[in-house]
Amino acid sequence: MGVLVWGCRGGKGPRKNVAQKVYLSTRSGAHVIKRVGHHGLPYDIIVIRPYLYQLLDYIPYQSLSWLFESVYLDLQFDQKMYAIKPDHWALGKDPVLNDHFDSKLLSGSIVQKPKIQYFTENGVLFEGDEAATECDVVIMATGYTWEFPFLEEGILVTEKGRINLYKCMFPPHLPHGTLAIMGFLLPFGPIFPAGELQARWVTQILAKKCKLPSEEIMMRDIEKRHTTNVLRYGPIEKATVRIDIIQYCDELASQFGAKPNLLKMLFTDPKLFLRILFGPSVSYQYRLQGPHPWEGAREAIMTTMDRVVWPMTKRKAEERHDSFLKRLIRTLLLLFVP
């Protein structure tokens, strides 16, 4: 749980920042990711790439978290400088997206505090403080719950802390695959690509062009996902519906033939293969084949970076010609030079 405590408002007239000081109370801290990443590019263009996400299938998430924190997060603002240091790995809990948090900490506009011990008449007493802190407003960021009051009892089954939904969508015990719960996800990454693929898959099932597996197979898949997520995130509520976005999109696309065949592509179109595997993850790749393909998908994939930089430069992205040795030296410096 997080708590936002606003101090006294300073100055007169309309201002962008109306609070003189903000006290941010948190139990476990958080890893903060800026929207603007290295080289001035959006962070998702840098981080959300298939080859990076696929490392999660082979390397423990703790090791990848350490690498992500060392090479990416700590270069922007060292997480160890926070008064409330994150007590979890970067890939073990949802990060915070914010472009201003570090500058506000440095200027003193935001002050990190541990959890609130109790409220006073004019403020709060933080744990470890001797005197109460006066404040005007307290915002309790306690999260929210998901409920389905329109469903009859027994349709959405929860047992042993596990939500029984195949691919986070289909109740496996229903005799007909005509009910899909869509968007019920906690993705590590953007949710809209997954939502589009969910809609495409449901459409194919309702059109009877593909079908769901047996209840036994679906339950095994649900149990496997839940067990894996509990090991990574802990036995928290909704652990079953946590996903890594690229792996999940590949899972859904493979259900109805929209997942690109990268092995075949390696020999038939190596440029496209390299762009899909090592470039930014974009949904166009799921329109290369399968139902309702798009003839412009390949071109859209190859020119993704042009559209990323166009608002700033009004020209196409320039190709980077860094040698492998130069990239390796840069990575080693980022890892070992304080």
Side-chain angles (χ1 to χ4, degrees):
M1 181 185 73
V3 180
L4 193 63
V5 182
W6 284 8
C8 298
R9 184 171 59 188
K12 296 182 179 180
R15 295 176 58 189
K16 184 177 180 180
N17 300 313
V18 297
Q20 189 178 57
K21 183 169 290 189
V22 172
Y23 297 92
L24 185 63
S25 172
T26 177
R27 294 177 181 174
S28 58
H31 292 277
V32 181
I33 299 179
K34 287 187 174 183
R35 292 178 177 84
V36 180
H38 296 342
H39 307 296
L41 293 172
Y43 92 95
D44 52 344
I45 291 294
I46 299 172
V47 173
I48 304 179
R49 300 191 176 214
Y51 81 97
L52 291 175
Y53 267 69
Q54 288 174 8
L55 291 176
L56 285 166
D57 298 332
Y58 306 102
I59 301 176
Y61 81 93
Q62 298 95 330
S63 301
L64 287 178
S65 294
W66 174 83
L67 188 64
F68 180 46
E69 293 169 27
S70 301
V71 175
Y72 190 83
L73 294 181
D74 287 349
L75 295 184
Q76 297 181 339
F77 193 89
D78 193 342
Q79 315 282 307
K80 301 179 186 66
M81 293 175 60
Y82 295 162
I84 311 297
K85 302 175 185 176
D87 63 359
H88 53 272
W89 293 105
L91 301 179
K93 195 174 181 180
D94 293 328
V96 173
L97 296 180
N98 193 288
D99 294 318
H100 310 290
F101 184 68
D102 51 1
S103 63
K104 297 297 183 183
L105 279 179
L106 291 174
S107 67
S109 300
I110 291 179
V111 178
Q112 279 191 305
K113 287 287 189 179
K115 64 181 181 181
I116 292 176
Q117 190 169 345
Y118 59 81
F119 290 89
T120 65
E121 183 178 355
N122 298 319
V124 296
L125 181 69
F126 294 106
E127 197 173 69
D129 287 358
E130 295 182 358
T133 300
E134 293 187 5
C135 61
D136 297 327
V137 180
V138 177
I139 301 175
M140 309 291 289
T142 55
Y144 56 91
T145 59
W146 281 324
E147 295 181 353
F148 298 88
F150 49 86
L151 293 179
E152 296 178 5
E153 186 176 352
I155 291 181
L156 185 61
V157 177
T158 302
E159 56 180 344
K160 300 178 182 178
R162 184 185 68 232
I163 302 172
N164 289 340
L165 286 174
Y166 178 59
K167 303 299 183 186
C168 307
M169 295 175 62
F170 293 98
H173 62 286
L174 299 183
H176 307 288
T178 54
L179 173 65
I181 298 176
M182 300 167 62
F184 190 44
L185 300 168
L186 288 173
F188 206 92
I191 194 172
F192 290 108
E196 180 192 10
L197 286 169
Q198 285 183 334
R200 292 177 65 189
W201 185 25
V202 169
T203 301
Q204 294 300 306
I205 291 175
L206 295 179
K208 298 182 178 181
K209 295 182 178 179
C210 59
K211 61 180 182 178
L212 295 173
S214 67
E215 180 179 350
E216 181 182 359
I217 293 175
M218 288 192 284
M219 281 304 303
R220 283 205 302 264
D221 184 87
I222 293 169
E223 291 168 0
K224 179 182 177 182
R225 186 186 304 277
H226 180 76
T227 301
T228 301
N229 285 346
V230 167
L231 291 175
R232 177 171 167 183
Y233 298 103
I236 60 174
E237 187 183 14
K238 308 184 190 72
T240 316
V241 294
R242 286 188 172 272
I243 61 166
D244 292 312
I245 187 62
I246 293 179
Q247 283 89 333
Y248 182 74
C249 286
D250 284 347
E251 286 180 33
L252 296 191
S254 64
Q255 299 294 319
F256 58 98
K259 181 182 176 182
N261 188 336
L262 293 182
L263 181 59
K264 178 181 178 181
M265 193 180 297
L266 173 62
F267 299 100
T268 60
D269 196 341
K271 287 186 177 180
L272 182 59
F273 166 82
L274 293 173
R275 190 59 61 92
I276 289 178
L277 187 60
F278 296 102
S281 178
V282 289
S283 296
Y284 307 121
Q285 63 178 303
Y286 302 115
R287 291 291 181 176
L288 291 168
Q289 63 184 59
H292 308 289
W294 178 41
E295 61 181 12
R298 185 190 186 280
E299 180 66 18
I301 294 171
M302 300 300 291
T303 57
T304 295
M305 291 306 300
D306 292 343
R307 290 185 296 282
V308 171
V309 303
W310 179 263
M312 297 174 287
T313 64
K314 304 303 180 186
R315 61 177 182 271
K316 294 183 179 180
E318 298 179 2
E319 295 291 335
R320 297 182 63 85
H321 299 289
D322 293 352
S323 65
F324 173 78
L325 180 60
K326 185 176 179 181
R327 293 196 301 270
L328 178 61
I329 293 174
R330 183 189 299 124
T331 301
L332 292 175
L333 287 173
L334 292 177
L335 285 173
F336 300 110
V337 175

